[in-house]
Structures are given as C-alpha cells and as structure tokens.
Amino acid sequence: MAERCFIALGANLGDPIRTVTAAIAALRTLPDTEFLAASSLYRTAPVGLRHQPDFINAVVAVDAVSPAPTLLDDLFAIEARFGRSRSVKNAPRTLDLDLLLYGDETSDDPLLTLPHPRLHERAFVLAPLAEIAPDLF
C-alpha cells in the first residue's frame, strides 16, 4: 500500500532555481512512487548561518510504496547527483532533500526522524507544504 509522503527541497549554491526545478524532475522518476504535486518555488533567507545566499525552496508530494529508509536513500542519491556535500550544519548547499512526512509513520531513528523534527519551525517548508496540502494540518 502506498503512503503519502512530502519532501522538502532547498538550494542556494550555483543556480538554485534551475537546481530545484531539475530536482523536482528527478523526483518524478523515483522508483516505486507516484508523483502527485509540486509547490511553487519560494525564495527564503537562510536560517542559522546567515551570511550566505538566499535559498530557493519547494515541497513535493508523492505516494511511495518503498519503505521510508529506502525512499530516504533515493533522496540521498539524488542529492549526490547534484553535488551535495555535508559539512557544517545549515551551510550553503547545492541541494537539500528532506523527507518531511511518510504517511502517519513515526521514527526516532538517528538516521531518519519522522515527522521531520523541525518541520513545525520552518516557514520555508510550511508555506509550500500548505500550498499543495492545505488540509494536512
């Protein structure tokens, strides 16, 4: 049975509009998923490390058959294709994909916390999420 999932996208290095648009296209091709919707693109100020370029953010909805850890691995693979490297927390990045929600599943695993632990604190996620899933909350 498929689970409704929401994935946040963000980028602020290189050409972030083109990167997020291309990443949305990549998410359309994920195995064992049905792509449902993509939000508009949002330009937002950085959180944490402030002296960096603004971010371009979006959220997509998919129905996934793969278990959450497999979907997360697929997201990491897409990030790697776009040159993502993980260094300092909140650092500038070529692409960030966060699994926000995986159906009603909860997880406290250090590698995958569901729902995303800072979802409720991030306007740059909540605004695009509300655009494509206004009845979610």
Side-chain angles (χ1 to χ4, degrees):
M1 182 166 146
E3 295 288 345
R4 181 70 38 93
C5 304
F6 295 93
I7 302 163
L9 301 90
N12 74 336
L13 293 179
D15 184 343
I17 292 173
R18 187 165 62 193
T19 297
V20 170
T21 301
I24 291 170
L27 291 170
R28 289 180 180 276
T29 67
L30 283 172
D32 299 320
T33 64
E34 178 185 355
F35 188 91
L36 301 173
S39 73
S40 302
L41 302 183
Y42 291 75
R43 181 176 299 277
T44 61
V47 173
L49 296 175
R50 301 215 183 259
H51 299 291
Q52 58 179 309
D54 285 350
F55 278 84
I56 298 299
N57 297 99
V59 170
V60 303
V62 300
D63 280 345
V65 176
S66 302
T70 301
L71 179 57
L72 185 65
D73 287 343
D74 291 341
L75 299 182
F76 286 160
I78 291 172
E79 285 182 342
R81 287 197 331 245
F82 283 87
R84 170 75 191 265
S85 65
R86 295 180 183 276
S87 58
V88 178
K89 184 176 181 176
N90 297 321
R93 58 203 77 152
T94 55
L95 180 64
D96 185 29
L97 299 175
D98 287 330
L99 183 55
L100 302 173
L101 298 164
Y102 185 91
D104 293 329
E105 187 171 321
T106 60
S107 171
D108 288 327
D109 186 292
L111 298 176
L112 177 59
T113 303
L114 290 169
H116 191 283
R118 290 170 301 285
L119 168 66
H120 64 286
E121 299 171 352
R122 296 177 165 179
F124 62 86
V125 171
L126 293 173
L129 184 58
E131 178 188 335
I132 62 171
D135 298 328
L136 188 61
F137 296 107

